[in-house]
Each structure stands twice: as structure tokens, then as C-alpha cells.
Amino acid sequence: MPQYDKLQRAVLERFGDKVQMFFNDKEFLQNEIGLDDGKWRYSSFEVMDLKTKKVLFTRLGSGVHVTEKKAWVDDLLDEVQECMSAS
């Protein structure tokens, strides 16, 4: 199963429709992530709080995909839950 699919399923299972996911959206990549050309990066993604612009996870720099271990996904989703609770 592709890595993004694993993450999407975990997010939907835990949060339903309360969390938005954007996939390779040029405008979003330019405006929110700051990629000048808006080109997507293979197998990369960021998780961010859109209200505060805080990046909760990025593969940039680490080269590690959060879906490699279920515990990593759970930790990330716990952090997303904290952001949602703070809102």
C-alpha cells in the first residue's frame, strides 16, 4: 500500500472528515508550504496546523516517512489531536 494511502486511512479512521488533506495541489504547495514552483516532491508531504501554520511533520531533512512505523503515525495523530483540542 502506498505510504500516502496508509496515512490517509489512519487520518480518516481517527478523525473522519474533521481533517483536510491536500494532495499535490499547486496553489497549496506555493502558498502554504512555500515551494516557489508549486511542484510536488515524490513521496513527500507535510502535516501542518492551517490556523497557526505550525508544521507538525515534514519529510524534508529527515528522509524518513512517518508511515514506516505505526507508532510514528500514532504519535503524529496524537499531535494533530492536540492541535484540534486547542482550537
Side-chain angles (χ1 to χ4, degrees):
M1 177 183 314
Q3 294 167 329
Y4 63 87
D5 195 36
K6 287 181 187 179
L7 182 63
Q8 183 179 26
R9 286 176 190 237
V11 167
L12 285 172
E13 182 178 299
R14 184 152 171 188
F15 302 113
D17 64 355
K18 295 178 183 174
V19 173
Q20 289 181 299
M21 297 184 77
F22 298 89
F23 297 95
N24 298 327
D25 182 274
K26 184 175 183 173
E27 185 176 330
F28 183 84
L29 290 170
Q30 287 175 319
N31 297 335
E32 303 299 333
I33 306 302
L35 297 176
D36 293 334
D37 59 6
K39 288 185 180 179
W40 62 278
R41 299 159 345 266
Y42 177 76
S43 197
S44 292
F45 66 93
E46 287 72 38
V47 177
M48 67 186 299
D49 180 338
L50 292 175
K51 289 181 183 175
T52 65
K53 306 297 186 200
K54 178 183 176 188
V55 176
L56 305 176
F57 174 83
T58 180
R59 188 170 177 186
L60 290 174
S62 72
V64 176
H65 203 287
V66 71
T67 61
E68 289 181 26
K69 294 187 179 181
K70 184 178 181 330
W72 295 350
V73 173
D74 291 341
D75 289 346
L76 175 61
L77 297 184
D78 288 347
E79 196 168 352
V80 170
Q81 181 67 56
E82 288 176 22
C83 288
M84 292 172 68
S85 297
S87 297

